[in-house]
Amino acid sequence: MLPSMSAVSKPGPKPAPTPAAAPEANKTAAASSAPAPLDAQGSAKPESTEILSGPARIKSTPAVEGIPESFPVQALSKLEAKGIAGQTFLLDGGALRGLKLEVRRVRDGKEPGFEIAFQLTPSKLAPLLEAMKKQEAKPGPLTFRELKVGEDGVAEYGSARAQIKHSSHRAPPDSDAQDQAWVLSLEGQKGGRIEVVHERAALAVRGLVRIHLKGDDATCTKQLDGLTKELGLAPLFAPPTAKSKKVNALMHALWQADNAKAAEFSKGELDKLSVADVEAALEAAGYSKERIAGIRYEEVYSGHFAAVDPEQAKEMGKAGARYLYSTVTAPEHVHSILMHGQKSSLERYKDGLIIEGMSTNSDFGTGGAVGVFTRLVTQDSIYSEQGWTGRTYKLLQTPGQLGRTDFYGWNGDYFGKRFELDSKQNFGLGLVAAIGAGGTYKTTNELIFTAGNRPENILRVIATSEEARGKLLKFLKEKGYEPHNGLALEDFVVLSPKFLIFGEAPYDSSDLPAFLADAKQKASDGNLAPLTWFLIEGPLEGSARAELETEIILGDNAPLRTALFKAARLRGELALGAGLDAVIDALAAKGDAGKISLDQLVSSMPEALFRSQSEKAFELLDARRKTFSSHSSPFGLSDDTWVRIYRALGSASGGGAKKLFDLAIDVRAQSLAQQRHDGFLSFLASHPLVQPEDPAAFLTSEVAKLVAGEPSPRLHLYAAQKLEPEARAALESRLIEADHASTLALLRQGLDAKPELALDGPALETLFQGMAEGSAIKKYLLGQVPDVILKLGHQPLLDRLVAHHGTKLDFNQYDQERWLSVVDTLLAKSGGEITPYVRDVLERGALRLLQRSEFLERLPSLAGLYQVEDATAFISGALQEIKGRGALQLMSLLRGPPELSAHRVAVVKALLESSAHEAKHLLGRARDAGNPAQLPLSAEERRELVKVLGHEATKTAALAFFGLEGRQILLDATQDLLPVFDEVLKGDTNPLGKLDLQTNAIAEVVGLLQARTDAHGPAVADWLLRKGAKAALGANELPFIGLLTNSKATLASIGLDGASAAELIKSTINAVSYYYGSPSYADQPTYAELPAGAKWLLFQGEDHPDDAALAAVELALPAWNWTEPVLEAVMKRIPNLSEEWKARLTAARVKK
Amino acid sequence: MPLLPDTAYFVESSEDSSVMLALDAKLHDGLLEWFDTSRDRAFEVKSFEDLPDGLRVVTERASYQLRRLTIEIYEAHVRDQVTGHRPFSSTEAVQEFYRHFPR
């Protein structure tokens, strides 16, 4: 029972109207690492619908709209709780962290049920664990199961599981390494099961409780009722009081404002803590009464509510915080976040999103797994032209989130460490200052927001290249995504290689003259920040910015000029626009040495001049194009900047826009076309620059120029443009027909970018027929780009390839991507039909294609790939050609269309029995392609194959099978296989290694076997414990040793006799005994105890060493050559070793 | 050897046990950064040196050694630390898996 919980389960008085008069409140302590997870334990009923807010008594409404505050504990049928997220409740029985409880309907196989999850406050965790231990709850690992939504909206368990393991990095020092025993699990007497994570597990999951109920709603209600009564859980489901909600919200704010004070409150008698106590602490931290009154609950992420302090966001903004960002790579991932928001590692696991191959253990240890990670961008970092870190796309998020009271941060990569936090560096203004400390922006800063954040927080998506932006735009358009903030998609997904100039200004410029006067004064005092802000982001309305620009250009103030040049470089344009004409004239007229020169204008702000539409700017630039341009970087501008100029001028019509546009095109366009610059191609798609009235005549004249050795920029631009297929084919035809080095170069440019021809096969064949044998273009097409030819699907061209390449089955095309592209093209052309041509090409590319998971995923859909009448002959023939066509034939039987599945066992057996190296490789690929990674065999087929191979004269094939599928074979095994295992592994010094099990994995497999509901699982687990004991104890594997202790194993039960145990004790101690006597290692805890393996062998889970084990050591000791100091050191490390045993062992050491 | 694109690396550090896998690792603008299968990691670099199969980087708080992830390294150090403990038959297969890993 939980005494303190049950003590408050009785009805009590309603909360008093003032904070001081709330004696019924019974707060529980929070871990210093937690965000003030305090919950008033008031006993008022939900009808106490008043909350405290200062001295006034006001009507209560639910704290968060849509989050219910009453849980139907006696009638679970009232719960909707569908979907992965289920339902969230705001409750308070004095035990729930953050007042939050989640419940969802689940289905395990066909059985319905519920899963209830919450985290307990630390003071309530210990009594619950104690109560569970008394009822013989079993220890186990913390695992999460895969979940998917079924057709009726109920979450269904899948087969995948993930276990959270120990990691010591930046974890609290009290963290328990025995991750196989982090959870206590107890079956209820009326059914149902409760799992509780203990207080020294990974920080992120401490106190996590999950209640699993199985059956219909009525059965589940009874199970919950049973567990509730058995463990005294009723207060968990009590509604919150007005006071508990208020104190919880204010404590979150205090967690940020004065973390030390919040920790102090958490340690004390919190039931004596009043709202006034917390308010006073906040006021002492500098919070005004108005600010405190403005703190409110919001659902900051779907199903997650937090207290929000809007003033904090404003305050951090004034200190220079502009926005947050996080990063992702895949467009589908961007889309998912835009639709659903981001969720933390812990939320992902709780929601059953198990991602194979992922490693997340470390940030569970640091506590960071509870939140989503972002980075803060400051105004200074934007103006100092800092760049993004991280993955391809940057999700720019509103600084409004900084009002949340459940985030913290670091000014570097601390992996989300969630303890030893300090308000001076991890929160609010202190955090902003730390990120900009020393005038240097800390690029690797991290801000961690609990649970997740809403998609509405994302204000822009940033790409850092045109290619990436184009890819994302295409994907989002295909998905029909419309930005939530009303922007056009093109304005929502923006290109910005450096930090985007974005976010609310930290200055108030509503009184513009006053602002400017002040900014100029500050600039003259050396603080350029306000003036720079105005020049970059100041209001464009009115003429103030243009006037200031004029003043600076014509003036002689060097610092102001520096600010202007920076603004022009960052913005790429001036407010002056065509007004530059007059300024340039005035500047030219001055001719004054020491003032800004026209040359300086060109070198400092070329982009702004191009985009100005000023006639004079054109003249200035045109006259200096050679002086200021290098071949690779005309006017010092990047290629992306040129595209920005084209876009700005492409649709402009005023002043000198046309001249400036033509100049810009003349300077850089051909080069961009030749490079196939993505941004430029995208611009060309909407602004075709070459549109000949008579395309045929155009091609004739321009190709003739190329052949004559003359340049043809127009043909290059034309080739780079988006053309209709007929126009593209006509261009290709002319280039091939000309058969000249210059036309080959242009053709090649196009094929390098996109390896396919618009010409059809017969047309190319006709062209080939008219060309000389030694033609360079023909040689290039057949020799260098056979995939381009294959895509045409024309047999005579395939025959030409065969003739050109001789016996080379794959035509020397080694590129897997290009083979995949050939397959895609041919199957698209044939409508998925496997024609003889398609089959021939697939077999030619088999060795490349089979390396690609995309192809293996597609293989089952290739119906009709092969007709197999005599499987034995087919397999035999395929094995003969396993280095070529046979590879596809064999893989088709393994992973191909369903009509071939009947031959899977036969082909696996044949490949295992084959001595060809390629056979094992092929099986490996077939296994790797599975999800999970297994050969496509049923458990029954797997068992049968073990038996058949195990009885063969040589064990080579059986061992190969074990090596390939060992873990799965064990997980599927039945008791009758154990003698087969013993026979195959007889005499092997590392039997489990042969079954693909390293020592550090044994414990997990044993755990899974023990969890099997049939009788075979535990029997196989016992076998595994015995077989693995020597190796795992010898390697001091803590999880394995934890299993031995939990299962009360003995030497006999794991198949060890005294002599072998003594030998193991000796070897594990010998591996570290050097350190026992070394002063350098004297203070290292690792060497203060015996190695874990030796310790278990001596104690076998008990408090005192086992006499039989000591006797075995005594017997063996004379032969160990241990020195006296070593034996002394060992005996010191054996707790509770009696004097008698010390004497006996001492005597044994010198016994002859 | 410079860090290669589309290559998964195994990361070791005697001072930082939180590291293991590095996808999309890159060294630029004085930063070493990668995606660790769950989140972005980034460190300011003090110095670095090429290794035959990767890179050794010294940052302010720790030094990191990045080696191209091979099947041998995966089996010895990674497999039992990642969800699903997926087996692979070759270095190419493990590299391909992490090339396609969701990020």
Side-chain angles (χ1 to χ4, degrees):
Chain A
M1 295 290 284
L2 293 173
S4 58
M5 286 184 180
S6 55
V8 296
S9 63
K10 297 171 193 165
K14 287 186 178 183
T18 65
E24 79 289 359
N26 174 22
K27 304 301 292 185
T28 56
S32 59
S33 58
L38 304 175
D39 317 286
Q41 198 164 321
S43 52
K45 289 184 173 180
E47 52 269 28
S48 306
T49 54
E50 293 176 344
I51 60 169
L52 299 171
S53 181
R57 183 175 178 141
I58 58 170
K59 286 275 184 187
S60 172
T61 53
V64 192
E65 193 179 337
I67 305 286
E69 298 185 358
S70 170
F71 188 83
V73 69
Q74 293 299 331
L76 297 182
S77 59
K78 291 183 180 174
L79 290 168
E80 172 71 11
K82 286 191 175 179
I84 294 292
Q87 270 178 281
T88 301
F89 289 80
L90 193 159
L91 301 175
D92 178 41
L96 298 182
R97 269 200 204 187
L99 314 183
K100 182 176 167 187
L101 179 144
E102 295 164 295
V103 58
R104 67 175 149 237
R105 289 182 181 274
V106 291
R107 190 178 296 116
D108 196 356
K110 290 182 178 174
E111 191 160 35
F114 287 92
E115 186 181 299
I116 300 171
F118 50 87
Q119 274 183 280
L120 281 177
T121 51
S123 66
K124 298 302 174 194
L125 179 58
L128 177 57
L129 289 168
E130 199 52 42
M132 291 174 71
K133 280 177 192 166
K134 281 180 185 165
Q135 298 191 37
E136 305 220 328
K138 288 181 183 169
L142 174 60
T143 57
F144 293 92
R145 292 182 67 185
E146 181 185 28
L147 280 169
K148 289 173 182 167
V149 181
E151 284 180 3
D152 58 355
V154 171
E156 295 178 344
Y157 288 118
S159 57
R161 286 172 190 265
Q163 182 189 340
I164 305 303
K165 294 188 177 179
H166 171 71
S167 169
S168 59
H169 180 71
R170 295 193 194 284
D174 66 349
S175 296
D176 178 12
Q178 301 261 13
D179 52 26
Q180 291 297 317
W182 275 354
V183 171
L184 267 189
S185 177
L186 180 70
E187 303 287 335
Q189 289 165 14
K190 292 183 181 174
R193 181 164 51 89
I194 181 169
E195 292 179 331
V196 183
V197 182
H198 77 52
E199 71 283 5
R200 293 195 302 116
L203 185 59
V205 290
R206 290 181 180 182
L208 175 66
V209 178
R210 289 180 296 176
I211 298 175
H212 305 276
L213 309 171
K214 281 186 177 181
D216 58 24
D217 288 359
T219 306
C220 288
T221 301
K222 282 181 192 162
Q223 290 173 354
L224 182 60
D225 184 60
L227 281 167
T228 299
K229 286 177 178 157
E230 287 163 37
L231 294 168
L233 302 178
L236 296 175
F237 303 100
T241 66
K243 183 193 167 192
S244 69
K245 288 191 281 188
K246 185 78 176 176
V247 171
N248 182 67
L250 297 185
M251 277 297 286
H252 273 81
L254 189 64
W255 178 68
Q256 295 183 321
D258 185 347
N259 192 268
K261 188 70 179 173
E264 184 188 319
F265 279 158
S266 300
K267 285 175 189 162
E269 290 294 322
L270 287 166
D271 50 346
K272 292 178 184 163
L273 186 65
S274 67
V275 170
D277 289 337
V278 194
E279 284 180 337
L282 281 169
E283 285 178 30
Y287 282 39
S288 68
K289 287 186 188 304
E290 293 73 25
R291 178 172 177 177
I292 294 169
I295 295 170
R296 59 178 187 259
Y297 283 103
E298 285 182 17
E299 189 178 11
V300 293
Y301 173 64
S302 180
H304 176 71
F305 49 87
V308 172
D309 169 19
E311 280 304 310
Q312 176 164 262
K314 289 180 191 167
E315 189 179 77
M316 291 177 75
K318 283 181 185 165
R322 293 295 289 264
Y323 53 81
L324 299 151
Y325 77 96
S326 55
T327 75
V328 291
T329 292
E332 54 267 37
H333 198 175
V334 174
H335 180 251
S336 169
I337 292 173
L338 290 173
M339 298 304 290
H340 308 295
Q342 281 180 286
K343 63 172 72 176
S344 69
S345 295
L346 178 57
E347 292 298 310
R348 285 201 304 258
Y349 274 95
K350 279 161 61 182
D351 286 354
L353 289 170
I354 309 297
I355 300 175
E356 196 176 26
M358 177 182 275
S359 159
T360 53
N361 296 321
S362 294
D363 63 354
F364 275 79
T366 64
V370 302
V372 291
F373 282 51
T374 64
R375 298 197 200 281
L376 180 71
V377 172
T378 62
Q379 172 158 305
D380 286 347
S381 69
I382 297 171
Y383 290 178
S384 59
E385 299 178 72
Q386 300 273 339
W388 314 92
T389 62
R391 286 163 276 169
T392 309
Y393 299 107
K394 327 294 175 186
L395 307 176
L396 188 154
Q397 298 171 29
T398 173
Q401 289 180 102
L402 297 171
R404 284 175 63 168
T405 61
D406 62 350
F407 85 88
Y408 62 101
W410 293 94
N411 67 352
D413 185 326
Y414 283 75
F415 216 40
K417 178 178 167 184
R418 201 181 167 87
F419 58 100
E420 295 173 354
L421 299 173
D422 180 346
S423 292
K424 289 180 185 159
Q425 64 166 347
N426 301 113
F427 302 99
L429 294 178
L431 178 59
V432 179
I435 288 169
T440 309
Y441 172 68
K442 308 299 181 295
T443 312
T444 62
N445 74 77
E446 58 188 25
L447 274 68
I448 298 101
F449 291 82
T450 301
N453 52 31
R454 287 185 163 282
E456 295 83 1
N457 290 333
I458 300 166
L459 305 178
R460 298 285 187 284
V461 179
I462 315 297
T464 54
S465 74
E466 276 290 357
E467 182 187 7
R469 179 173 179 266
K471 192 174 166 187
L472 181 60
L473 280 171
K474 183 169 179 283
F475 185 87
L476 293 177
K477 279 177 190 166
E478 284 169 4
K479 289 284 176 188
Y481 174 74
E482 291 179 11
H484 62 86
N485 52 8
L487 289 177
L489 194 55
E490 282 74 10
D491 297 328
F492 185 72
V493 179
V494 297
L495 174 69
S496 184
K498 301 285 184 185
F499 282 157
L500 187 70
I501 301 168
F502 187 87
E504 282 187 31
Y507 309 110
D508 177 5
S509 59
S510 54
D511 181 351
L512 201 51
F515 169 81
L516 280 174
D518 181 56
K520 284 179 186 174
Q521 181 57 49
K522 283 184 172 143
S524 65
D525 295 340
N527 176 9
L528 286 164
L531 199 78
T532 305
W533 168 79
F534 180 75
L535 288 166
I536 296 172
E537 301 181 75
L540 280 167
E541 304 82 39
S543 55
R545 246 171 83 176
E547 285 167 8
L548 181 61
E549 287 169 357
T550 304
E551 181 187 328
I552 294 172
I553 292 171
L554 298 179
D556 58 0
N557 187 319
L560 295 190
R561 202 180 293 162
T562 303
L564 178 65
F565 290 163
K566 176 184 256 191
R569 191 171 63 248
L570 281 167
R571 264 294 183 210
E573 60 182 340
L574 295 173
L576 267 170
L580 260 179
D581 281 346
V583 176
I584 290 171
D585 278 344
L587 202 58
K590 285 176 84 172
D592 197 353
K595 302 286 186 291
I596 186 171
S597 70
L598 293 173
D599 283 353
Q600 209 173 351
L601 210 56
V602 174
S603 64
S604 304
M605 52 175 77
E607 184 185 1
L609 293 179
F610 266 105
R611 292 171 63 181
S612 68
Q613 305 184 33
S614 152
E615 288 268 4
K616 297 290 179 186
F618 165 73
E619 289 169 16
L620 206 56
L621 291 163
D622 193 35
R624 288 161 175 77
R625 59 189 294 184
K626 289 205 165 56
T627 319
F628 285 89
S629 297
S630 67
H631 175 71
S632 61
S633 176
F635 290 103
L637 294 171
S638 71
D639 288 343
D640 286 341
T641 305
W642 283 109
V643 175
R644 193 155 71 157
I645 290 170
Y646 296 150
R647 287 213 169 104
L649 295 174
S651 48
S653 55
K658 176 75 171 68
K659 287 180 182 174
L660 284 162
F661 180 70
D662 289 345
L663 176 61
I665 290 291
D666 196 33
V667 169
R668 198 56 183 165
Q670 184 178 339
S671 171
L672 295 177
Q674 284 173 331
Q675 302 170 33
R676 314 281 305 179
H677 183 277
D678 284 295
F680 183 62
L681 295 186
S682 158
F683 171 75
L684 274 183
S686 55
H687 294 82
L689 297 173
V690 182
Q691 292 176 291
E693 285 183 12
D694 181 347
F698 167 78
L699 288 176
T700 301
S701 67
E702 296 299 318
V703 167
K705 279 186 195 170
L706 284 185
V707 171
E710 295 171 24
S712 174
R714 280 166 54 80
L715 190 60
H716 276 96
L717 285 174
Y718 183 73
Q721 283 175 195
K722 193 173 181 182
L723 299 175
E724 292 297 322
E726 297 78 18
R728 171 77 52 200
L731 171 67
E732 291 167 356
S733 181
R734 291 299 183 90
L735 294 176
I736 294 170
E737 200 174 29
D739 202 5
H740 186 269
S742 61
T743 60
L744 169 57
L746 192 51
L747 180 74
R748 190 172 188 154
Q749 230 169 64
L751 291 178
D752 283 350
K754 192 176 180 187
E756 63 184 46
L757 287 168
L759 270 175
D760 63 20
L764 181 62
E765 173 61 21
T766 304
L767 283 170
F768 275 175
Q769 286 170 7
M771 294 166 76
E773 276 311 303
S775 151
I777 283 195
K778 197 184 335 182
K779 200 172 167 186
Y780 162 71
L781 288 170
L782 291 170
Q784 303 292 310
V785 287
D787 52 312
V788 171
I789 305 295
L790 287 173
K791 284 178 183 175
L792 297 175
H794 194 51
Q795 188 63 45
L797 289 172
L798 177 54
D799 295 341
R800 278 185 184 275
L801 283 170
V802 173
H804 187 89
H805 290 275
T807 56
K808 290 295 291 186
L809 192 67
D810 58 6
F811 306 133
N812 293 317
Q813 177 54 266
Y814 305 133
D815 189 313
Q816 298 167 6
E817 290 284 348
R818 293 179 79 130
W819 275 109
L820 281 175
S821 178
V822 170
V823 173
D824 288 344
T825 306
L826 291 180
L827 288 172
K829 279 186 177 173
S830 73
E833 186 190 347
I834 306 296
T835 63
Y837 180 96
V838 171
R839 184 180 301 110
D840 186 11
V841 174
L842 290 180
E843 288 181 347
R844 287 177 179 280
L847 292 183
R848 313 295 160 202
L849 291 166
L850 293 177
Q851 299 302 320
R852 299 303 295 250
S853 51
E854 299 96 322
F855 181 73
L856 290 169
E857 282 163 17
R858 192 165 193 171
L859 206 48
S861 68
L862 301 183
L865 183 57
Y866 295 109
Q867 307 291 328
V868 180
E869 287 171 8
D870 180 345
T872 307
F874 184 87
I875 292 169
S876 170
L879 279 169
Q880 297 295 316
E881 287 193 77
I882 196 168
K883 294 179 185 176
R885 294 175 187 270
L888 181 68
Q889 294 160 2
L890 292 162
M891 188 61 90
S892 298
L893 298 189
L894 285 165
R895 291 250 169 235
E899 69 263 21
L900 300 178
S901 65
H903 312 298
R904 281 174 184 164
V905 176
V907 76
V908 169
K909 181 168 177 287
L911 286 166
L912 287 168
E913 290 169 345
S914 166
S915 58
H917 158 73
E918 291 79 5
K920 304 299 176 294
H921 180 69
L922 205 66
L923 277 173
R925 284 302 293 154
R927 179 198 60 185
D928 296 352
N931 191 13
Q934 295 169 12
L935 288 171
L937 301 173
S938 67
E940 184 58 37
E941 287 171 336
R942 197 171 277 113
R943 287 192 287 265
E944 284 307 306
L945 200 49
V946 168
K947 286 180 195 168
V948 170
L949 297 174
H951 290 112
E952 288 184 349
T954 64
K955 306 303 175 198
T956 315
L959 285 169
F961 193 33
F962 286 5
L964 201 63
E965 293 264 84
R967 287 189 206 201
Q968 198 54 46
I969 289 171
L970 282 168
L971 289 171
D972 289 342
T974 44
Q975 293 181 68
D976 54 328
L977 288 191
L978 299 179
V980 183
F981 292 158
D982 286 331
E983 175 62 23
V984 174
L985 300 169
K986 191 166 58 182
D988 202 303
T989 53
N990 180 21
L992 297 191
K994 293 289 188 296
L995 276 159
D996 192 30
L997 267 190
Q998 302 302 317
T999 54
N1000 60 0
I1002 299 170
E1004 189 175 343
V1005 175
V1006 169
L1008 290 168
L1009 285 166
Q1010 287 175 337
R1012 261 171 64 176
T1013 50
D1014 62 296
H1016 295 284
V1020 179
D1022 285 347
W1023 180 88
L1024 196 50
L1025 273 178
R1026 287 198 306 279
K1027 288 290 169 188
K1030 269 193 179 177
L1033 286 167
N1036 302 303
E1037 292 292 351
L1038 291 178
F1040 184 89
I1041 292 166
L1043 271 178
L1044 294 180
T1045 304
N1046 295 337
S1047 62
K1048 303 193 188 311
T1050 61
L1051 291 182
S1053 72
I1054 57 170
L1056 290 178
D1057 57 20
S1060 51
E1063 188 60 26
L1064 264 178
I1065 290 168
K1066 180 190 79 173
S1067 62
T1068 53
I1069 290 176
N1070 279 354
V1072 295
S1073 60
Y1074 163 79
Y1075 303 102
Y1076 291 167
S1078 168
S1080 310
Y1081 298 91
D1083 58 349
Q1084 292 208 13
T1086 312
Y1087 305 116
E1089 294 187 357
L1090 286 178
K1095 189 175 178 189
W1096 185 87
L1097 288 160
L1098 282 167
F1099 287 79
Q1100 294 156 46
E1102 301 297 331
D1103 295 333
H1104 288 74
D1106 178 66
D1107 284 342
L1110 287 170
V1113 171
E1114 182 186 26
L1115 194 62
L1117 194 55
W1120 288 1
N1121 294 323
W1122 278 5
T1123 62
E1124 187 178 355
V1126 166
L1127 180 60
E1128 281 295 320
V1130 170
M1131 289 195 297
K1132 266 188 198 168
R1133 287 163 174 77
I1134 304 176
N1136 301 321
L1137 184 65
S1138 68
E1139 290 304 319
E1140 183 195 341
W1141 270 115
K1142 282 181 188 169
R1144 285 174 65 174
L1145 292 175
T1146 304
R1149 187 188 72 80
V1150 293
K1151 197 172 176 183
K1152 297 294 177 190
Chain B
M1 174 185 279
L3 295 172
L4 301 170
D6 294 330
T7 302
Y9 286 89
F10 174 64
V11 194
E12 289 173 293
S13 168
S14 53
E15 301 94 346
D16 181 351
S17 64
S18 71
V19 295
M20 183 169 67
L21 286 172
L23 313 185
D24 305 329
K26 48 188 180 279
L27 196 60
H28 69 104
D29 301 328
L31 287 177
L32 169 68
E33 57 173 311
W34 68 76
F35 174 58
D36 78 351
T37 72
S38 180
R39 62 183 82 267
D40 298 330
R41 307 300 307 271
F43 306 94
E44 287 174 18
V45 174
K46 286 174 78 175
S47 65
F48 68 93
E49 62 172 307
D50 286 345
L51 300 173
D53 57 349
L55 201 67
R56 189 195 317 278
V57 179
V58 179
T59 72
E60 200 170 318
R61 297 200 300 268
S63 61
Y64 298 94
Q65 181 170 299
L66 285 82
R67 286 187 289 155
R68 182 171 178 262
L69 182 63
T70 61
I71 185 64
E72 292 78 17
I73 293 175
Y74 177 81
E75 283 292 332
H77 304 292
V78 177
R79 181 172 167 191
D80 286 306
Q81 302 300 321
V82 295
T83 306
H85 316 307
R86 189 181 182 92
F88 294 101
S89 53
S90 64
T91 295
E92 191 173 29
V94 72
Q95 285 287 344
E96 193 209 11
F97 177 84
Y98 280 108
R99 218 169 10 252
H100 290 99
F101 188 85
R103 56 191 77 173

